[in-house]
Structures are given as structure tokens and as C-alpha cells.
Amino acid sequence: MNTSDIVAALTRIYEEETPSQEDLISLLSVSDDAGLRLIFETADRVRRRHVGNTVPVRGIIEFSNYCRNACRYCGLNRDNRALRRYRLDRELILDAVDAVEGEGVNTIVLQSGEDGALDPSWLARLIGEIKAQADAAVTLSVGEWPGEYYRLWREAGADRFLLKHETANPSLYEELHEGAAFGERTAHLRLLKALGYQVGAGNIVGLPGQTAKDLAADILFMKELSVDMAGIGPFIPHPHTALAGVPEGSLVMTLKVVALTRIVLKDVHLPATTALGSIHPLGREMALSAGANVIMVDITPAPYAALYEIYPGRRGAGEEIFRRLAAIRQIIHSCGRTIASGRGDAIRLCKKHPED
Ligand code: SF4
């Protein structure tokens, strides 16, 4: 694509209610420096216009690394016998929430594998205690559960739910997730929305067999679902998975997907993912300059953070919480941005500009 073709395609995907898959595929194939700069700078402008300059910081507590599933890309898969498993008790979780009080972390993300021993009432009580203790939003990232659990947790005060769709190619999805169907994943996402959660989806970039058409479909899927958040990260192979030895996803392709998602979805929260920071030392800074507006900090207490090994070499996992927080502040400031003071709710719920 030459420069004027790129500009025309970027304008169309920004303006059209339903952007064409062909435009997205063409833009995903851009690889020259000038073309990439154009895409990233456009996404940065759209980010500034629609979500502003401040960066909401989300603190993640990974409270269990048990999982009943066997996703072919994930180090927490139930067949990984080399992994030491853990569950955090209530006190440790509330201590982690307490540790970031006043540090600009205004969302607590409770994340776990799909732990078959999860007691829904225990989680509901925990959500209530966090909401009583901290002036923060609570996000759940705990996998697929029956609708009555989602309802219970919502009534207990959970604000948001992250359920990455991973890939919008149904056959690739089903290849990677034994016994699961993409239609079921979609049904869970729609149910969560109907229950009033702010909903996040997201995909993995660089899965074996994935094409540019699939990545374009991911962006259009998230647009159609009208997600509030989208987590986009590169595939990173884990040695104790079925995909050990498969090459990792590309930094540039992941940044292009982040940028195009920003241009198409506009007022969505897009994290500069830890996975991007794990494949390149400046991966998160680059994402914040290419459309991303949110950053996550792992506040799981040591030594457990290092055991939440969805992929190897997770950045910051071996450090103490205050060091991880300092690193996040440094990233935000190095991009000329500031930490958001509010909770970083879905933009559609903010009556005024997110920075007001
Ligand atoms: S991706 Fe999630 S559901 Fe799948 S094995 Fe990993 S933790 Fe479990």
C-alpha cells in the first residue's frame, strides 16, 4: 500500500460504522517504517481524542493458578504437572488491596485460572469486602461459569468482567480449546453484558495457523460486541504446553492490532499488556504510543506472582509490589502521560470527558 492508500483506508475504518475486513487486512499487511508510523500516529490521535491523556492503572491479584481446562497455549493448563499450584486466602488478598491504597490503583482485578474448587459465595463475600475497604472498581477475570454465579458476583458489587475471546476464528478457537465452542464463549460475553457488567474481551496475536483475516475478524468481533475493554497480547510459547517451541507472536503485528482496534472501536479501554512488555523491554511504552491507554500492575504477593505462569518470563513477576508500581509509573511518565485519578470506568458510562 502506498501512503495515500493507507491514509484513505485509515479514514474509512475510522468513519464507517462497519469497517470492511479487506481494509483491515490490507492495513495489517503494512510493514514499511513510514506506513507503520502513519498507523501508530493515527491511533495515538484517536486515543487522545476519545479517551484522553491520563492512564488508568489496574492492580491484578492472581488469587489461584489452578485450572480445570487444557488450553493449548497456556502454562496453567491442568496437564502441566511441573507447575506448583496455589490459592491465596482472603487475608492475603485483602492485604494486597491495602498495600496499594493511595497509590493510584483504582481498579482491583481478581484473576484466576478456571479453578474447579472456586466457591462462588466465597468470591461474592470477598468482592463485598474489597468494595467496603477500597474506593476501587472490581473486575473479575475467572473464566466461564454459570449465569447464576455471574449474577451473584454482580449483586455483590463486581463492576467488570474480562473474558478474552482469544480468537474469533471458530475452528482455530475449537482447536485450541478442547471440548469448547466459540459460540459458547460468545454467549457468555453477551450474558455478562446483559447482567450489567462492563465487559472486556481480547485476543492473542501470532497463534499458529492464524491469518490476517482472523485478526481483522477479531477487531470486527469486538466492535460488533461493543466491548468496553480489549486485551490484546502476543502469543508467547510455554515449554509445558502443546505449543512449546512454536515461534512467539510478533511485536509489530501486535502493535498494529492494538492501533487498528483503537481506530475502529475509538472509546474503548486498551491495556498496554504485560505480555507486550515481556517480549520487548519497551513493549508497553510502544503500545501506549500506538493506541493503548490503560496499564496493569501485578499486585499478587511474592512468591505467588511468579507461579502464575500463563507464559514464561512474565515481566516484573519476581519483584516486590512497590518495585512493580514504580516501574509502571516510570512507563507512564516516559510516555508524557499521567496516572488517571478516577476508576477508569467504561467511557460510555462517563458523562463527561474521562479526564474531567
Ligand atoms: S487460558 Fe485460562 S482457562 Fe485456559 S488453561 Fe489458561 S488459565 Fe485455564
Side-chain angles (χ1 to χ4, degrees):
M1 283 179 109
N2 61 34
T3 303
S4 55
D5 288 341
I6 295 174
V7 171
L10 288 171
T11 305
R12 283 194 299 273
I13 66 163
Y14 178 72
E15 288 179 351
E16 288 171 2
E17 191 40 43
T18 312
S20 83
Q21 197 162 13
E22 290 68 35
D23 273 341
L24 288 170
I25 293 169
S26 303
L27 289 164
L28 286 166
S29 73
V30 171
S31 57
D32 64 289
D33 287 350
L36 289 173
R37 204 172 315 117
L38 208 48
I39 293 173
F40 298 152
E41 286 174 1
T42 304
D44 200 40
R45 272 200 306 281
V46 173
R47 185 269 308 157
R48 209 161 36 238
R49 187 176 314 142
H50 290 274
V51 297
N53 256 335
T54 58
V55 179
V57 178
R58 326 282 205 205
I60 305 188
I61 303 172
E62 292 141 348
F63 65 90
S64 164
N65 71 350
Y66 282 86
C67 190
R68 61 188 177 188
N69 292 333
C71 306
R72 288 167 64 83
Y73 48 83
C74 177
L76 301 196
N77 74 80
R78 64 175 182 235
D79 301 322
N80 180 3
R81 312 254 179 256
L83 182 66
R84 199 179 120 211
R85 306 280 172 168
Y86 71 87
R87 288 187 186 98
L88 299 188
D89 62 24
R90 171 189 160 277
E91 285 74 20
L92 269 178
I93 296 169
L94 293 175
D95 284 351
V97 174
D98 203 36
V100 295
E101 177 77 41
E103 299 286 348
V105 177
N106 295 330
T107 294
I108 299 297
V109 183
L110 296 172
Q111 179 158 280
S112 68
E114 221 173 88
D115 184 346
L118 177 68
D119 173 355
S121 306
W122 173 85
L123 183 54
R125 281 195 301 276
L126 180 66
I127 293 163
E129 285 183 280
I130 292 174
K131 298 286 291 203
Q133 175 178 323
D135 184 20
V138 170
T139 301
L140 300 179
S141 173
V142 295
E144 289 181 17
W145 294 96
E148 70 250 35
Y149 290 14
Y150 297 150
R151 197 168 292 113
L152 174 72
W153 299 330
R154 179 84 185 107
E155 284 166 4
D159 303 275
R160 310 180 191 139
F161 206 107
L162 294 178
L163 190 68
K164 288 178 75 173
H165 69 280
E166 316 294 5
T167 173
N169 174 335
S171 50
L172 182 56
Y173 181 90
E174 282 149 32
E175 225 173 87
L176 295 168
H177 305 95
E178 181 195 285
F182 184 66
E184 283 169 24
R185 193 69 161 183
T186 311
H188 279 269
L189 283 162
R190 293 194 197 287
L191 175 58
L192 289 162
K193 276 184 80 83
L195 289 170
Y197 283 97
Q198 299 170 44
V199 169
N203 62 328
I204 305 174
V205 178
L207 289 164
Q210 189 181 47
T211 63
K213 188 175 172 201
D214 296 333
L215 294 171
D218 284 326
I219 297 170
L220 294 174
F221 172 75
M222 293 190 285
K223 165 91 173 165
E224 190 268 320
L225 197 65
S226 204
V227 295
D228 299 302
M229 306 164 275
I232 298 162
F235 165 67
I236 304 177
H238 188 290
H240 296 114
T241 62
L243 301 183
V246 169
E248 72 182 15
S250 128
L251 169 73
V252 172
M253 185 58 93
T254 309
L255 291 171
K256 277 191 282 188
V257 177
V258 170
L260 297 176
T261 302
R262 167 64 64 205
I263 298 167
V264 170
L265 275 74
K266 299 173 187 64
D267 58 357
V268 69
H269 285 304
L270 293 182
T273 53
T274 308
L276 264 169
S278 301
I279 65 164
H280 190 287
L282 296 176
R284 284 173 293 185
E285 287 86 340
M286 287 189 254
L288 284 173
S289 303
N293 72 310
V294 168
I295 202 153
M296 310 283 211
V297 56
D298 188 350
I299 58 170
T300 309
Y304 303 103
L307 296 174
Y308 201 83
E309 209 187 67
I310 43 181
Y311 53 81
R314 270 195 327 143
R315 207 162 177 81
E319 293 171 355
E320 294 299 328
I321 291 175
F322 74 93
R323 281 191 192 281
R324 294 180 223 154
L325 273 167
I328 294 301
R329 279 194 203 101
Q330 167 61 25
I331 290 170
I332 294 170
H333 294 145
S334 74
C335 295
R337 314 261 276 276
T338 50
I339 296 178
S341 55
R343 301 195 325 169
D345 280 311
I347 311 296
R348 66 184 163 81
L349 301 178
C350 301
K351 291 192 180 67
K352 299 187 288 179
H353 192 275
E355 285 180 24
D356 291 341

